[in-house]
Amino acid sequence: MTRGILLGFCSVQSFGEKENCRPDGRELSEFRTTTLNIGPITTADGSALVKVGNTTVICGVKAELANPTVETPGKGYIVPNVDLPPLCSSRFRPGPPGEQAQAASQFIADVIESSEVIQTEDLCIERGKLCWVLYCDMICLDYDGNVLDACVIALLAALKNTQLPEVTINKETSAPEVNLERRHGLHIHKHPVGASFCVFDDSILIVDPTAEEESLSTAHLTVVTDEEDRLCSVHKPGGTSLSGEKLQECISRATVRQREIQELIDKVIHSVKTAH
């Protein structure tokens, strides 16, 4: 009964009630308002702040010079980290990263790898000697469900905002010389965007769940697609099973969401450039 009340299903239509509505007035397949601010952290090499409803995530990208690994001498690397501090919700405790934060960090790492958002070869400066490491820190400032979607948007927007300084290697000393005055952007190969869903009573599917809806659902699912409608990742941590038909429904909704978010990011980046 609690789930029925939460989802606000209006079984009596004679009262003119909206069917399939949720506590915040949304339909089952409706996302919350998404807002984006690019470049809020001036000390970072790239940054973005994303709000999906009340859920707020800020991402900062810091680039450091390092030696490539022996296994991949011609590649740099990306190190993502998701932080869910106590300030964002009372459900999180101080101390080392909890299970949800670790799972989110691993999810973001998988998305980076599977989507090929950046070719790590682009981060190599001199094969076997020098490369860039991008530390991508995502911090949740306000948790109200669907933190994974917000993290993916914040990461993509921050990477598109990242400017790396020019680096040359001195032939006499073999030491790297960094020119902070001359910078260049990253080459973003793909634009992955996530769409998260919750399942209720093994049959009802809702998109962009709030924290309350997440806590009452029987399963969670996040689908990541890119601009070519390629499926980059499907993340389903346990819960009840989902039919192939329902999964296809999720993928179709995710592809529409991808276009909406990519358009939003491009629009904000254009407005920032125009302002400067």
Side-chain angles (χ1 to χ4, degrees):
M1 189 62 191
T2 313
R3 291 183 193 136
I5 293 167
L6 172 78
L7 287 170
F9 294 130
C10 314
S11 53
V12 185
Q13 290 179 300
S14 57
F15 287 102
E17 290 281 349
K18 181 178 170 186
E19 195 174 11
N20 291 347
C21 57
R22 288 150 78 174
D24 54 12
R26 286 185 292 155
E27 292 182 6
L28 301 189
S29 61
E30 194 179 338
F31 281 86
R32 290 171 288 181
T33 302
T34 304
T35 57
L36 175 64
N37 178 7
I38 284 183
I41 310 174
T42 54
T43 52
D45 295 303
S47 61
L49 176 80
V50 173
K51 287 193 76 168
V52 180
N54 290 329
T55 297
T56 309
V57 172
I58 193 163
C59 176
V61 178
K62 200 71 182 164
E64 289 186 9
L65 293 171
N67 298 320
T69 59
V70 177
E71 296 81 14
T72 55
K75 296 181 179 181
Y77 38 106
I78 305 171
V79 183
N81 181 60
V82 177
D83 188 13
L84 300 173
L87 75 90
C88 74
S89 171
S90 57
R91 71 174 65 200
F92 304 117
R93 295 279 171 263
E99 191 179 330
Q100 190 175 347
Q102 290 180 46
S105 296
Q106 187 57 54
F107 166 77
I108 295 295
D110 293 343
V111 168
I112 290 169
E113 188 176 347
S114 62
S115 69
E116 296 177 341
V117 57
I118 288 177
Q119 302 274 353
T120 47
E121 290 86 351
D122 295 346
L123 299 175
C124 183
I125 298 164
E126 185 162 326
R127 185 178 173 85
K129 291 184 179 177
L130 198 65
C131 70
W132 284 112
V133 182
L134 301 182
Y135 292 98
C136 306
D137 291 310
M138 286 144 278
I139 301 170
C140 182
L141 304 177
D142 192 349
Y143 184 94
D144 187 22
N146 197 7
V147 75
L148 295 183
D149 283 13
C151 284
V152 174
I153 299 169
L155 174 71
L156 178 58
L159 288 173
K160 285 181 77 76
N161 174 245
T162 299
Q163 295 284 316
L164 298 180
E166 190 179 87
V167 178
T168 52
I169 294 182
N170 189 308
K171 290 181 180 176
E172 292 177 9
T173 62
S174 296
E177 294 177 351
V178 181
N179 185 350
L180 296 173
E181 301 303 313
R182 299 187 65 177
R183 290 176 173 263
H184 62 89
L186 294 169
H187 180 32
I188 306 298
H189 290 263
K190 292 284 187 282
H191 294 74
V193 174
S196 290
F197 306 83
C198 269
V199 182
F200 287 84
D201 299 327
D202 304 342
S203 59
I204 300 158
L205 204 62
I206 66 166
V207 309
D208 185 19
T210 62
E212 188 182 11
E213 288 167 341
E214 279 182 352
S215 66
L216 293 165
S217 67
T218 54
H220 302 234
L221 175 75
T222 301
V223 177
V224 182
T225 59
D226 66 16
E227 64 268 43
E228 295 172 1
D229 296 346
R230 191 173 62 105
L231 190 61
C232 302
S233 176
V234 176
H235 177 68
K236 187 177 180 297
T240 53
S241 60
L242 205 64
S243 67
E245 188 184 340
K246 289 284 183 190
L247 182 58
Q248 191 55 56
E249 193 182 317
C250 293
I251 294 169
S252 300
R253 185 67 187 91
T255 57
V256 175
R257 176 70 168 169
Q258 193 283 331
R259 288 178 181 82
E260 293 168 353
I261 294 302
Q262 189 173 344
E263 190 179 319
L264 172 68
I265 293 173
D266 290 344
K267 194 182 291 183
V268 174
I269 286 175
H270 179 71
S271 67
V272 168
K273 282 179 180 173
T274 308
H276 285 308

